[in-house]
Each structure stands twice: as structure tokens, then as C-alpha cells.
Amino acid sequence: MISLTLSQLADAVAGDLHLFGDDTPETVVDGPVDTDSRAIVAGGVFVAKPGEQTDGHRFVDAAVASGAALAIVERTVDASVSQIVVADAVAALADLARFVVARVRERGELRIVGITGSNGKTTTKNLLARILEDDGETVSPRASFNNEVGAPLTMLRLTDDTRFLVSEFGASGPGEIARLAGLVTPDIGVVLMVGMAHAGGFGGIEATFHAKSELVRAVRTGGLAILNADDPRVAAMAPIAAERGIDVRWFGRGDTAEVRAVDVEVTATGTRAELVVDGAPLTLRLRVLGEHHVMNALAALAAATALGIDAATAVARLETVELAERWRMQPLGSERVRIINDAYNASPDSMAAALRTLAQITGPQERTVAVLGAMSELGEYAEEEHDRVGLLAVRLGIQRIVVIGADARRMFLEAVAQGSWDSEAVFFATADEAYDYLVTELRDGDRVLVKSSNSAGLRFLGDRLGEFFA
């Protein structure tokens, strides 16, 4: 975090300052901010956030023991540290982030990119950050820090020397993206796609469209919206941009996109794509698995080139990326049995993309195995969408379909109904049961996809299989 006095910090969060020891209102604090006492380092700021399972106020002493210089609390705590008392710790975190971003922006060098979409946010964020970091200090979220806590924590990592901030905006309901993007007012807003992910929380696909379009509305006047020309709902955000005087830059596979892929070839070691960037032909050899990640790369290129990065340079930097993020199309195992662990998140769109990738990268003498768990946050659409995944797996010719968990059972039932029977499709209640089956069932030449939402926990099964077959 940038250097601020205790008085400035208290003003920023509209809190009451309670000094401890030798501290004065002019005492300077510049350490990192966190809501996890285990992550606090010397000089850091601990935000005592009440949680669903526990209360951050219980861990103020632990934060102090780790060197916290300040605690932001909702009530005073008997601890050896100065404290700022606020009405709502999460709201205070947002207020502090807004204040810090504004202070850094006053210096005139900071450029801010906001990214949203039903799928691909984290991969696109990581690809863009990789392009930008060679041109100046770049701050981007760790993992998927994209909610009301994670997004402000990322913003608070800004320093006086930060040139680029890449913010990822997720949402579980209407208004959340507007609140988060409103903290920074991005120079560039990137919208990847509008799909069924979290549709249960939004109330349907049209409500999801309105929620994702909040980012376009949050872009500063005179800024830029980068939109997916291939997604009709994203393309429908162009009039919103026009109403606000915001230019649009398009990415996609069609001829109308300024940044487009005209030919794509998927292999087991990555994806080759012939690109056209503002009229110039380029070849991208992306080591990240999956044709769907080409679209994420196009979005990152569109943003980077809009920020002044040379297209060929940006492509060369993209080609150094070996893994978008842990548990996202992560290759494990060995050439004998290749495990693709993609079980950090799942939606109908990402599930379909992962299954298609599995089919594309498997050779004629190899066998496709899909290990599938539930997709969360689909609400009333859950049964229908799980049925669709089972149907797609059969239509793609996946040779072994292993479904895990009661919430995913519809995939198994649909696969059987579509003709995948006689042990081609199997169901297990737990990941442990599936593991015991898979370590005896898998054989040389198998290509195995492990895919589910985070809540299903199959990412750990993927890790276990990767270690077993390493």
C-alpha cells in the first residue's frame, strides 16, 4: 500500500482513530492490507472482517504478533495496536481502496483495466498481466480475488510506482460489478462473455447480461470498452458504450473484430492460432491448453495493444505463459496417462469447452476419460444444464464418463439414456471411491479431464491422479 498517516487512513474510511503506544495521528503506515491474520507481515494493516464461520476480531492479537501496525475494526479490541473503528469493515475496505486508487491516479501514470464475464476472467487477467508487467509495475489479483473483499485487497497493493492495475470483477448478483468497478472507474472495460455461470444468483441469462454490462457503464468517460464480437449479448453492450461516449474495440473470430483469430489448431501441447491484429497478421503459439483460451488471449491482446503495447511484442509475451492458473486446464500426470485438472470452476460453457478440448487433443490410439462433478450456482437451471453436459459427453464420443457426487448424478443418468452404458459411464458418490476406481481403470494412452465447480472438490482428486500417474 502507498504511505498514509493514521489520520489519513481514518479519514478515508470515516472511522474513529484510537491510538496505542507512541503512535500519533501523523504516524505513517505503508504495509500490505489483509483480512487474513495469517497473511499479515510487519507494518501491515489487519481488517477484522466478521465472517460466516468466525469473527476477525478474534484474530487481532495474532495479527499484532505478526507485526500489524494497525487494525481496522468494528469495535475496539483489547490489543497492543492502534485501531480505527468503523461501522462496517467490508465497506471500510472498499472506501480505503477507492481512496488509494484515487491518490495513485493523481500522479497521472496509472492505467486501469477491468475484466468481467461468465467465464475466462482469471485466465484473461493473468494473460494481460503477463503482457503488461514488462512495461511497468503491474498489479493484478492473486487467484480469483474478484469479489467485495478480494477486489479491494488487490487495489490496495498499489504503490507509488504502479503503472497498470488489472482488476477482475466477479458477481453473484446484480449491482456487485457496479460497486466494485465504481471503486476504480476503469480506463478500459473488457467483457468476455455472457453465459449461464451463476445464472441462479442473477435470475436468468438476461439478468446476467444486465449485471455484466455494469462494467461498461462504469468505464470512465472517454475510455474504452473491449467486447466479444462473437457473443450476441456482449455485442449488445455497444449501444451502452455509445450512450456514454465510450469507444468500442472488438475481439473474436469474425471479420468485424479488430483483434481476431482466423485459424486455430488445438494440440495436446497447446494451441496455434493465426491472428489479425489491427490488420497485421501474426501467429500465436499458446501453451495454455484449450481452443477457448484463444478468445481470452484475443481479449488480452486487444487491451494490451489499446494501452500502447506493440502487437508482436504482446504475442511473444503471451507465448511464455505455460499455465493460466493452478487447476485451470493444468496438465498433470505423464505422457503415459495425461491428467488435465480443470476443476477450479465450472459452468455449462466452460464444461462444454473443456470436453471439446479433451476430444480434440486425444489421438486415434488414445482413450478419452471425463471425470465430472457438479456445476454450482445454476439455481432452477441446474437439472437441465447437467443433462446437457451428459448429452454432450456422449455426442463427443467420450469413451469413459465418470460422474461424482449426488448433485452431478443427472450427467450420469443422461449419458446412460443416450447410450453410454456397459461401464462406459459410471457413478460414484465420493471422490475417494472414484479415485480407487480410476487408479485401476486408467491405462497407457488415456487422456483424462477432471472438471467440476470448486465446491465439488474434484481439483484435489485431479492432483491425486496427477501424482499417481506422474
Side-chain angles (χ1 to χ4, degrees):
M1 186 180 70
I2 63 174
S3 298
L4 294 170
T5 66
L6 291 177
S7 177
Q8 288 173 321
L9 284 161
D11 289 343
V13 299
D16 296 323
L17 177 60
H18 296 254
L19 297 170
F20 176 82
D22 295 331
D23 285 348
T24 73
E26 299 309 308
T27 297
V28 172
V29 176
D30 60 3
V33 181
D34 216 301
T35 58
D36 186 343
S37 61
R38 297 166 296 184
I40 294 296
V41 299
V45 178
F46 176 60
V47 180
K49 178 180 71 72
E52 294 180 4
Q53 305 298 327
T54 188
D55 186 346
H57 294 79
R58 295 175 52 197
F59 301 98
V60 173
D61 280 333
V64 174
S66 296
L70 174 69
I72 297 177
V73 296
E74 294 182 0
R75 60 180 184 274
T76 55
V77 177
D78 184 12
S80 303
V81 67
S82 290
Q83 300 170 41
I84 297 175
V85 181
V86 297
D88 183 319
V90 174
L93 187 66
D95 289 340
L96 182 56
R98 181 187 295 107
F99 179 82
V100 167
V101 170
R103 286 290 294 266
V104 177
R105 247 210 164 125
E106 287 174 1
R107 297 174 174 86
E109 295 294 325
L110 180 65
R111 303 296 300 279
I112 300 173
V113 180
I115 300 172
T116 195
S118 298
N119 299 110
K121 295 183 293 296
T122 299
T123 297
T124 304
K125 169 262 298 184
N126 287 339
L127 295 176
L128 179 57
R130 173 63 195 95
I131 297 172
L132 298 177
E133 64 188 9
D134 287 350
D135 268 49
E137 182 180 296
T138 300
V139 171
S140 63
R142 297 187 293 265
S144 292
F145 270 38
N146 61 20
N147 62 10
E148 63 178 358
V149 174
L153 287 177
T154 298
M155 299 166 193
L156 288 168
R157 288 168 44 214
L158 293 180
T159 73
D160 291 325
D161 297 321
T162 302
R163 183 173 176 190
F164 302 108
L165 169 63
V166 181
S167 286
E168 175 184 343
F169 299 127
S172 56
E176 192 168 348
I177 292 173
R179 288 192 296 272
L180 296 176
L183 301 179
V184 295
T185 314
D187 300 287
I188 296 175
V190 181
V191 185
L192 301 171
M193 65 177 299
V194 175
M196 290 298 294
H198 314 296
F202 288 114
I205 195 71
E206 290 306 317
T208 303
F209 160 79
H210 290 293
K212 300 305 181 185
S213 69
E214 291 170 8
L215 177 57
V216 177
R217 300 181 191 278
V219 172
R220 69 169 178 82
T221 302
L224 179 68
I226 294 178
L227 303 180
N228 181 351
D230 298 351
D231 186 320
R233 290 187 175 88
V234 177
M237 297 179 191
I240 298 172
E243 289 172 6
R244 301 199 59 250
I246 296 167
D247 289 335
V248 173
R249 183 163 169 79
W250 299 98
F251 70 94
R253 302 286 293 271
D255 292 341
T256 60
E258 290 103 325
V259 181
R260 64 185 183 272
V262 296
D263 185 37
V264 177
E265 178 186 359
V266 180
T267 71
T269 58
T271 306
R272 182 196 60 78
E274 296 301 326
L275 311 180
V276 176
V277 181
D278 297 317
L282 293 164
T283 299
L284 169 66
R285 295 175 178 84
L286 192 64
R287 288 193 265 183
V288 180
L289 290 178
E291 182 176 1
H292 52 297
H293 287 311
V294 171
M295 289 296 285
N296 299 329
L298 293 177
L301 283 170
T305 50
L307 290 168
I309 309 297
D310 173 73
T313 299
V315 166
R317 292 172 185 174
L318 281 179
E319 292 180 338
T320 68
V321 179
E322 297 183 13
L323 179 67
E325 187 85 29
R326 186 183 180 192
W327 298 318
R328 288 177 170 86
M329 298 301 287
Q330 181 179 7
L332 299 171
S334 63
E335 283 305 309
R336 186 170 66 88
V337 177
R338 174 64 67 196
I339 310 295
I340 303 171
N341 194 352
D342 193 32
Y344 188 83
N345 264 326
S347 69
D349 294 308
S350 69
M351 187 73 80
L355 285 168
R356 291 191 181 98
T357 297
L358 175 65
Q360 288 171 324
I361 68 172
T362 303
Q365 304 305 315
E366 300 170 341
R367 185 173 65 159
T368 50
V369 181
V371 182
L372 308 175
M375 302 176 288
S376 62
E377 300 184 61
L378 292 175
E380 64 183 288
Y381 308 99
E383 292 187 355
E384 175 186 351
E385 294 301 330
H386 283 86
D387 287 348
R388 289 180 188 275
V389 171
L391 172 61
L392 178 62
V394 174
R395 288 186 172 175
L396 288 172
I398 304 302
Q399 292 156 285
R400 285 289 184 273
I401 302 170
V402 181
V403 178
I404 303 170
D407 291 343
R409 188 175 176 84
R410 297 278 301 223
M411 294 181 189
F412 166 72
L413 296 175
E414 183 65 17
V416 171
Q418 295 297 326
S420 185
W421 48 276
D422 191 23
S423 78
E424 290 179 1
V426 294
F427 173 81
F428 296 98
T430 69
D432 286 341
E433 291 173 326
Y435 176 81
D436 292 339
Y437 165 79
L438 288 163
V439 295
T440 58
E441 167 67 17
L442 296 179
R443 65 193 190 205
D444 287 3
D446 282 352
R447 298 296 177 254
V448 185
L449 170 70
V450 183
K451 180 70 174 172
S452 74
S453 284
N454 200 348
S455 58
L458 296 198
R459 63 196 186 281
F460 303 118
L461 172 63
D463 286 345
R464 292 176 68 191
L465 292 172
E467 184 176 351
F468 185 88
F469 290 103

